Amino acid sequence: MEKVRHPLGRVLIHLALMLFALYSILPFYWTAAQSFKTLKDANSRTPKFFFSPTWDNYRDLWLRAVPENGATIAYFVLLAIILLVALLLFAQYIPVRNGVIYAIATVGFGALLWAIPRLIEVSNFYDYFINTIIVTVGTVVVSISIGSLAGYALARYTGLAAVVILIGALAFRALPRLAFILPYYWIGVATGLLDTHLLVILTLVAVNQPFTIWMLRSFFMDIPRELEEAAMVDGCNRLTAFTRVIIPIMWPGIISTALFSLLLAYNEFLLVRLLTQTNWTLPVAISRFTGGEDPRHLTLAAASAVSATIPIVLVILFFQKNLVKGLAAGAVKG
Amino acid sequence: MNRSTFFRFAAPSIVIMTLLMLVPLLMAIWLGMHFMTYNNVRDPQFVGLRNYVDVLTDPRFWQSYRFTLVYMATVIPATIVVGFSIALLLDQVSGFARGVYLSIFLLPFIIVPIVGTLMYKQLFEPSGLFTWILRNFFHYKFRYNAFTVKALIVLYGIWYVSPFPMVTYFAGLQTLPQDLIEAASIDGASRWQKIRHIIIPHVSSLTIMILLISIMDAYRVFDSVFVLTELNPIYKADTIMTYTFQTAISVQRLGKANAMAVLTVVGVMIFLIPNLIQSYKQQIEER
């Protein structure tokens, strides 16, 4: 619709949007503030808007014991993270192939995650963080690999079988998950896979598969058939035409879908809670802080909430365009 | 693409969905006919339909069903109204400001629901910001009780879900046919009339899609209720999912929980089947 021109109208529009933005981020601001307060400040009945910030909550959340040279190590780790993030953010300006830079960054993050527990005594929370990374990466890799094969096939094949699979997937996506998750427990006991990453990854892949194939299919539908037909005339078979011609131009769509898979895996609580006893991921670990007997649960919960949010905010900032594109594609195409 | 190539490409996906969705669903029906606790998972005892009868005559099950319906009836309309209004406002700004607003508005939707609820709850702790505002400016002493916990669940639901209709409507507004709007302007239509007679009909297919997805999601709301009630029965704020979870975890009656999950699936079919039939027809036509 055409824009409001009246200055007063413009001011009111921005005012309304700002108020809504304030309401949207208020819980984030408040929790972040609480996480940097001492327990006394955090429990103050009159909110302390000005306080001397402390790292204690984060230290107690992540570390079991405080080493003597703790500050040096902390600076080193922080510096390494900033360098790696900067490398990723400015990848397009560096005159090296992007794939190489991403590979270096991945190896760098891996090395960092490997090195940290060898430098300092970390707490269980670090283990839960590592579990979350393993489960999330595993789920994304498996569900995107098998999902793009299926999504491509569903976009190109017009037989009745394809329609039946699509509608079946739609039905499964809509059903309350507990109906599958409770039997997973039985499967876990029967196969002895309870409390393993493998079971969590496989079940998360299954639960996310309907969404993944629908979304990937809608992206594959946009790619003209002539493209792979030309490749097949030039001597490719279906599979090589798919991997060499279709996948490279599908990257934006694949990244959008991967982002949603990532969020679904990272966010999952119910499934992980039922299928694990010790190998928790972050949502399950954090849920333990709500209403604990520990008087410090208030500030520790705040610190854990912020800790779990930062990685996801970084990922979202990095892939924001893909995310909005994916949301819009899902919306417009249904 | 021919049939055999199709199945070769789709096989891994079909296998995992069959083994880990279709089979478990059928298993749930079967396990629901057994007396099973954590001690006899390997050797459940067959009891026929007793669990199903048990669930259907359980007043707490119906109470949680009622609260789930209340949640749906309050959160869904509210998020659609809020989402649509914000999308209209957002459509009025452009450039950098639009991107910033959009990122901020999407935050509640993207964050881990457990963490989001925890953060929202922090505002209502005894030392929280909203508790203080309510006490100081409205002379209302906020306490957790059966009413306020339910209100918090609904408020959090609106905070958390609104970005979804917002971003959907916003995408829909970008495809609005400009000539219709111009024609309406020439005919002297007011802004409100344009919204009422052009924009709302234009996005009606989106509204139906949002409604369907919201109904499915609200029906299985779990994470926020789990954090806000800590599964304390005194708040009487169980939803179907949290009550099923409690039956499985705290009460340890796995057979009854399975039966409950199956009945929940049957319950959602009322909304689902017409939608599935419509999608089926649509897909058959499109191919």
Side-chain angles (χ1 to χ4, degrees):
Chain A
M1 201 158 58
E2 73 272 23
K3 304 245 188 302
V4 174
R5 299 232 177 273
H6 198 280
L8 186 67
R10 307 262 353 137
V11 169
L12 284 177
I13 285 168
H14 277 279
L15 205 64
L17 286 170
M18 276 176 198
L19 268 178
F20 192 69
L22 183 70
Y23 181 62
S24 298
I25 52 170
L26 202 58
F28 295 89
Y29 158 74
W30 181 249
T31 310
Q34 291 286 67
S35 75
F36 287 109
K37 288 177 187 171
T38 60
L39 192 63
K40 189 164 159 290
D41 282 349
N43 267 323
S44 154
R45 285 295 182 269
T46 318
K48 294 231 159 143
F49 294 105
F50 302 99
F51 55 92
S52 47
T54 162
W55 285 100
D56 289 4
N57 300 313
Y58 289 93
R59 191 193 62 203
D60 296 348
L61 181 72
W62 287 93
L63 300 182
R64 181 167 289 137
V66 185
E68 280 170 31
N69 52 352
T72 327
I73 295 172
Y75 284 126
F76 163 73
V77 170
L78 217 58
L79 189 73
I81 292 175
I82 290 171
L83 274 177
L84 286 167
V85 171
L87 186 68
L88 283 174
L89 282 179
F90 298 109
Q92 47 184 325
Y93 304 112
I94 302 170
V96 187
R97 270 185 55 201
N98 277 359
V100 178
I101 293 176
Y102 295 148
I104 293 173
T106 312
V107 172
F109 273 120
L112 195 63
L113 291 174
W114 178 85
I116 287 172
R118 283 158 184 81
L119 291 171
I120 23 179
E121 253 185 274
V122 289
S123 73
N124 288 338
F125 197 75
Y126 188 82
D127 299 334
Y128 305 142
F129 181 65
I130 297 289
N131 286 339
T132 311
I133 293 178
I134 294 173
V135 166
T136 309
V137 172
T139 307
V140 170
V141 170
V142 179
S143 66
I144 293 300
S145 340
I146 68 172
S148 45
L149 283 169
Y152 173 67
L154 287 167
R156 291 294 186 256
Y157 180 63
T158 48
L160 188 67
V163 179
V164 170
I165 290 166
L166 280 172
I167 300 301
L170 198 64
F172 279 120
R173 190 190 152 192
L175 293 183
R177 291 211 193 133
L178 264 174
F180 325 119
I181 296 176
L182 287 172
Y184 289 161
Y185 183 82
W186 191 90
I187 294 174
V189 172
T191 54
L193 286 176
L194 214 59
D195 208 19
T196 60
H197 293 315
L198 183 67
L199 183 69
V200 174
I201 290 174
L202 283 179
T203 49
L204 272 176
V205 167
V207 169
N208 291 342
Q209 198 55 207
F211 173 79
T212 312
I213 60 176
W214 266 89
M215 190 157 175
L216 283 169
R217 173 178 173 269
S218 81
F219 284 120
F220 279 121
M221 299 273 269
D222 291 344
I223 294 176
R225 282 157 195 268
E226 289 75 28
L227 220 63
E228 75 243 32
E229 277 159 13
M232 280 156 78
V233 169
D234 289 347
C236 284
N237 62 32
R238 266 280 170 201
L239 195 64
T240 49
F242 175 69
T243 53
R244 289 191 199 151
V245 179
I246 302 295
I247 291 288
I249 50 171
M250 261 292 285
W251 262 128
I254 289 182
I255 290 177
S256 294
T257 317
L259 213 53
F260 282 90
S261 282
L262 183 146
L263 286 177
L264 286 165
Y266 193 88
N267 291 352
E268 182 62 39
F269 169 76
L270 189 54
L271 189 151
V272 183
R273 170 70 180 74
L274 275 166
L275 297 184
T276 57
Q277 278 121 28
T278 53
N279 279 322
W280 296 333
T281 59
L282 288 179
V284 181
I286 290 170
S287 76
R288 299 270 149 166
F289 286 115
T290 64
E293 299 84 47
D294 186 347
R296 298 201 53 192
H297 76 89
L298 186 72
T299 48
L300 283 181
S304 69
V306 174
S307 302
T309 307
I310 288 173
I312 222 69
V313 168
L314 285 180
V315 171
I316 297 302
L317 278 181
F318 195 66
F319 291 112
Q320 195 189 23
K321 283 209 182 87
N322 300 86
L323 184 81
V324 173
K325 193 182 154 200
L327 279 169
V332 176
K333 287 169 192 148
Chain B
M1 186 182 270
N2 61 33
R3 203 181 154 85
S4 73
T5 326
F6 167 72
F7 276 110
R8 243 178 289 151
F9 268 77
S13 183
I14 296 175
V15 167
I16 202 160
M17 278 196 286
T18 311
L19 283 183
L20 288 176
M21 295 191 101
L22 190 62
V23 172
L25 189 63
L26 300 175
M27 265 172 72
I29 300 173
W30 178 243
L31 290 172
M33 295 184 188
H34 289 78
F35 178 78
M36 186 165 85
T37 65
Y38 288 97
N39 302 323
N40 68 338
V41 174
R42 280 166 191 282
D43 177 32
Q45 180 194 344
F46 187 80
V47 292
L49 290 175
R50 200 182 303 161
N51 282 327
Y52 291 91
V53 175
D54 227 25
V55 173
L56 290 174
T57 53
D58 181 350
R60 277 196 66 193
F61 174 74
W62 291 110
Q63 185 192 311
S64 58
Y65 206 94
R66 262 202 307 281
F67 180 60
T68 310
L69 292 180
V70 169
Y71 178 85
M72 289 162 79
T74 47
V75 170
I76 296 173
T79 51
I80 287 183
V81 171
V82 171
F84 183 65
S85 321
I86 298 294
L88 279 178
L89 289 172
L90 194 61
D91 191 42
Q92 290 288 326
V93 298
S94 47
F96 181 70
R98 176 186 273 194
V100 173
Y101 282 132
L102 198 59
S103 324
I104 294 176
F105 294 162
L106 281 177
L107 268 179
F109 189 57
I110 281 150
I111 193 179
V112 187
I114 289 280
V115 171
T117 322
L118 198 77
M119 288 182 161
Y120 203 81
K121 195 182 173 204
Q122 291 258 350
L123 292 169
F124 290 94
E125 295 285 349
S127 59
L129 184 62
F130 280 1
T131 313
W132 175 75
I133 290 175
L134 285 171
R135 190 175 60 236
N136 265 32
F137 299 98
F138 299 94
H139 302 288
Y140 175 78
K141 195 164 176 350
F142 182 86
R143 261 198 216 96
Y144 279 84
N145 60 38
F147 173 75
T148 55
V149 165
K150 286 195 189 91
L152 266 190
I153 291 171
V154 169
L155 271 179
Y156 171 76
I158 297 170
W159 181 78
Y160 164 55
V161 182
S162 292
F164 166 62
M166 188 271 293
V167 80
T168 310
Y169 281 130
F170 181 68
L173 286 176
Q174 308 311 306
T175 64
L176 194 66
Q178 288 304 318
D179 47 337
L180 268 180
I181 295 285
E182 276 160 30
S185 301
I186 292 165
D187 289 347
S190 70
R191 203 165 275 280
W192 169 246
Q193 282 171 325
K194 282 180 220 160
I195 294 175
R196 175 78 188 74
H197 296 291
I198 301 175
I199 297 183
I200 291 183
H202 175 74
V203 297
S204 66
S205 63
L206 293 181
T207 307
I208 291 173
M209 187 205 77
I210 293 169
L211 266 177
L212 277 169
I213 295 184
S214 304
I215 288 172
M216 303 301 166
D217 284 349
Y219 188 76
R220 58 187 175 193
V221 59
F222 178 87
D223 293 6
S224 60
V225 183
F226 178 84
V227 173
L228 286 169
T229 64
E230 288 157 20
L231 298 186
N232 192 335
I234 63 162
Y235 298 132
K236 296 193 170 61
D238 275 318
T239 60
I240 316 172
M241 290 294 118
T242 57
Y243 186 52
T244 312
F245 178 85
Q246 255 177 300
T247 312
I249 298 286
S250 326
V251 191
Q252 306 211 349
R253 294 238 358 231
L254 280 174
K256 186 181 170 187
N258 270 298
M260 210 180 284
V262 170
L263 289 169
T264 317
V265 167
V266 173
V268 82
M269 283 297 179
I270 306 163
F271 301 108
L272 193 57
I273 285 177
N275 172 33
L276 288 179
I277 291 172
Q278 206 213 343
S279 308
Y280 180 78
K281 282 184 188 149
Q282 197 187 341
Q283 292 296 330
I284 292 283
E285 268 170 37
E286 272 179 19
R287 69 196 172 117

